Amino acid sequence: MPEHSRLTPVAVMILATLREGDMHTYELVRLLRERKDDRLVPLQKGTIYHTVARLERDGLLAEVGVDRHGNRPERTTYTLLDAGRQAVEEWVRTELPQIERAADFRVALAEAHNLERDEVVALLDRRRALLVASAHEHRTGLDGAAHRGVPDQFMVEVQRQAALLDAELAWQDALRARLVDGSLAWGPDEIPEHLTKNSVSKETTP
């Protein structure tokens, strides 16, 4: 199985979506777009098809059939292998606690539901420690600059980052509280049926 670091965010989202059931690449693209996942990763068809082929070569997913409906081109259906499931989980475990790669963190957060509630809390606690340290560093820098008489016009970016870190801490603490007290539904058993891939009729696919 390839190391998680070899997975791109697009690959992670493809594998994570296949956890919901077998599907062909066209359906996979449609579902990702329907869920507005292009907010997180580019969803060009060429990239998706190339990534699916690479994931198959790497032994993370496998072909389970080819079908044709009417005049449509043949469509290959893929299934997620255990190695692919494990690769998603390991990638999320690595990216969820970090604060340096914002784009990867957003994907990890979107796929955090693939991990158990308690593990997500523990990973976010690790991230919180990094956020606190970074916020303290920025505040110390701002205090030092003010003491030296550095004009505010040179510090506006640092001021912005300090404010963003404070907001991120407040948001994450609120998320943690919901995870801990159980008010946030978590895991596949708590997903409403109408929001799952299996609830969408394949007959509606153009």
Side-chain angles (χ1 to χ4, degrees):
M1 181 182 73
E3 295 294 330
H4 67 81
S5 59
R6 293 178 57 192
L7 291 180
T8 64
V10 172
V12 171
M13 299 197 77
I14 289 171
L15 293 172
T17 304
L18 283 173
R19 289 176 69 119
E20 300 178 36
D22 301 346
M23 64 187 86
H24 51 69
T25 308
Y26 187 95
E27 184 180 11
L28 185 65
V29 173
R30 180 186 61 80
L31 192 59
L32 289 169
R33 287 180 173 169
E34 183 179 279
R35 294 173 175 176
K36 308 301 182 185
D37 286 330
D38 51 356
R39 297 178 303 105
L40 305 175
V41 295
L43 292 179
Q44 289 90 354
K45 285 185 181 180
T47 300
I48 299 292
Y49 279 78
H50 174 78
T51 302
V52 166
R54 181 172 61 81
L55 292 171
E56 183 180 17
R57 290 196 302 270
D58 288 343
L60 301 183
L61 53 79
E63 177 183 326
V64 290
V66 179
D67 59 71
R68 179 193 291 273
H69 294 285
N71 294 325
R72 298 173 182 169
E74 288 186 348
R75 292 176 177 173
T76 302
T77 300
Y78 295 93
T79 191
L80 180 67
L81 300 178
D82 286 344
R85 188 182 306 270
Q86 293 168 13
V88 169
E89 294 173 357
E90 286 303 311
W91 193 91
V92 172
R93 287 187 181 106
T94 297
E95 299 302 329
L96 193 61
Q98 58 87 19
I99 66 172
E100 299 298 331
R101 298 176 296 280
D104 288 356
F105 169 74
R106 292 182 67 197
V107 173
L109 185 64
E111 300 302 339
H113 58 85
N114 291 290
L115 303 181
E116 295 294 329
R117 182 188 301 265
D118 290 346
E119 183 174 14
V120 172
V121 170
L123 292 169
L124 289 176
D125 284 348
R126 286 170 50 192
R127 183 173 189 267
R128 189 184 194 282
L130 296 175
L131 287 171
V132 169
S134 184
H136 175 73
E137 180 181 357
H138 279 77
R139 283 193 294 269
T140 300
L142 287 170
D143 290 344
H147 181 73
R148 297 191 304 274
V150 177
D152 268 0
Q153 63 180 298
F154 299 138
M155 302 304 298
V156 291
E157 190 282 326
V158 181
Q159 292 166 354
R160 173 185 179 275
Q161 186 60 27
L164 290 176
L165 287 165
D166 289 342
E168 185 82 1
L169 279 165
W171 166 82
Q172 184 167 303
D173 286 347
L175 172 62
R176 186 188 192 282
R178 295 175 66 203
L179 284 166
V180 171
D181 67 19
S183 61
L184 177 61
W186 199 256
D189 294 338
E190 299 191 51
I191 300 175
E193 175 61 24
H194 71 280
L195 295 179
T196 65
K197 171 258 177 185
N198 291 329
S199 69
V200 181
S201 172
K202 295 180 181 179
E203 297 301 319
T204 63
T205 304

